Amino acid sequence: RLSRLLAAAMGAGVVAAVYAMTRRLYADRRAAFFAALAAAVVHELVLFSHWGNVDVPYLFWFAWSIVAFIDVVDRGRVRDYAAFGLLSSAALSTKESIVGAYVLVGVAILVVHARRALAARPPGQAATYALERSLTADPRLTVLLLCLFGLYGIVNNVVFNWAGFQAHVGHWIGGTGIDPWNDRFTGHAALLATFAARLRDAAGWPWLAAAGVGAAWATWRDRRTAWVLLPAVSYYLFTIAPIRYTYTRFTLPVAILLAVPGGWLAAR
């Protein structure tokens, strides 16, 4: 009962996170309302918000980490970096398969961080020196990494159970895995088509069509939409494509991110 109550509360929290990330991106309450509504009617999210497993809890932490990611891009305060480190660490500690979503997000944070360092350098200062200072003297990346790896180490009991942690990581890296499709182009094309079909199963084809149109139109009209589409692409490339397998519940991170441009479209 406690597990199911927690999942229900976190399912509502996922919807709230979609509202928050949409407000931050577009400063549009109407778009945020429709985006939250779009997330709330995803069948698979409703289903797993009744069950006591980890699929909704990790989704909760992931969704709020993307809110923090947008704050890092927009404001770049120390607490934004700390929030992103803690929330992404909580998501990874709940279910490591979400790690793929953070690959391109991490690259984006480094690029934004470097651009800020170059923009703030005094006249005449070498670009390489400014970049070096941004890594060594700027505490924000250090805070992010400490929060990320510190919380992950505590949750996984790395210090007192190193052997258990190694076995746990070995399940994800170098394990047997699941491989029903080949690793050639035909296999990956079939996997992508299957993933799209599972996404349709998770929310319905009218929902998916509206989200797809919204993603294309919103990206064309407002480049900031890329900040929520980037982790969706990253998740597919670095989690789904390597394991070459998908269930309907595996599409949930992409579904809640697509709800954002879907809400933008509905508001218009």
Side-chain angles (χ1 to χ4, degrees):
R1 287 174 182 163
L2 286 175
S3 303
R4 292 183 173 195
L5 285 171
L6 181 63
M10 286 184 152
V14 169
V15 174
V18 170
Y19 181 93
M21 68 176 77
T22 309
R23 278 293 304 272
R24 279 165 167 76
L25 276 179
Y26 305 121
D28 184 340
R29 285 187 179 182
R30 187 169 55 177
F33 168 78
F34 281 113
L37 182 61
V41 298
V42 173
H43 317 316
E44 200 75 356
L45 176 61
V46 175
L47 173 65
F48 279 91
S49 294
H50 289 76
W51 290 358
N53 61 5
V54 299
D55 285 283
V56 168
Y58 94 83
L59 194 65
F60 170 85
W61 297 118
F62 168 68
W64 281 104
S65 74
I66 300 305
V67 176
F69 166 58
I70 296 170
D71 287 340
V72 168
V73 172
D74 285 347
R75 303 180 303 196
R77 297 179 297 187
V78 173
R79 69 183 185 183
D80 299 327
Y81 281 75
F84 176 78
L86 290 171
L87 291 165
S88 57
S89 182
L92 291 167
S93 298
T94 307
K95 190 173 184 180
E96 279 93 342
S97 60
I98 194 60
V99 66
Y102 292 110
V103 175
L104 296 182
V105 169
V107 172
I109 289 176
L110 288 175
V111 170
V112 169
H113 191 78
R115 291 182 65 179
R116 284 186 177 133
L118 292 175
R121 62 177 172 151
Q125 186 181 82
T128 52
Y129 179 75
L131 291 174
E132 182 184 345
R133 291 277 297 172
S134 72
L135 294 174
T136 58
D138 191 327
R140 291 177 292 183
L141 283 180
T142 303
V143 167
L144 189 159
L145 293 174
L146 285 175
C147 290
L148 174 64
F149 292 109
L151 180 60
Y152 186 80
I154 292 170
V155 171
N156 286 277
N157 198 21
V158 172
V159 174
F160 299 105
N161 187 19
W162 176 248
F165 176 69
Q166 284 181 307
H168 177 73
V169 172
H171 172 75
W172 294 102
I173 302 174
T176 56
I178 304 171
D179 186 14
W181 285 294
N182 64 65
D183 199 23
R184 297 186 296 275
F185 173 79
T186 52
H188 282 288
L191 175 62
L192 181 59
T194 304
F195 187 82
R198 297 290 179 268
L199 188 57
R200 177 205 62 206
D201 295 341
W205 69 261
W207 186 102
L208 182 58
V213 172
W217 188 16
T219 304
W220 178 63
R221 292 288 301 273
D222 190 335
R223 297 287 179 85
R224 286 167 54 79
T225 307
W227 298 131
V228 292
L229 297 182
L230 186 68
V233 173
S234 184
Y235 173 74
Y236 183 84
L237 291 178
F238 297 102
T239 291
I240 301 300
I243 65 172
R244 300 197 289 280
Y245 195 75
T246 183
Y247 288 121
T248 307
R249 59 189 169 88
F250 290 1
T251 67
L252 280 173
V254 175
I256 64 164
L257 294 172
L258 283 178
V260 174
W264 183 92
L265 176 68
R268 278 148 188 81

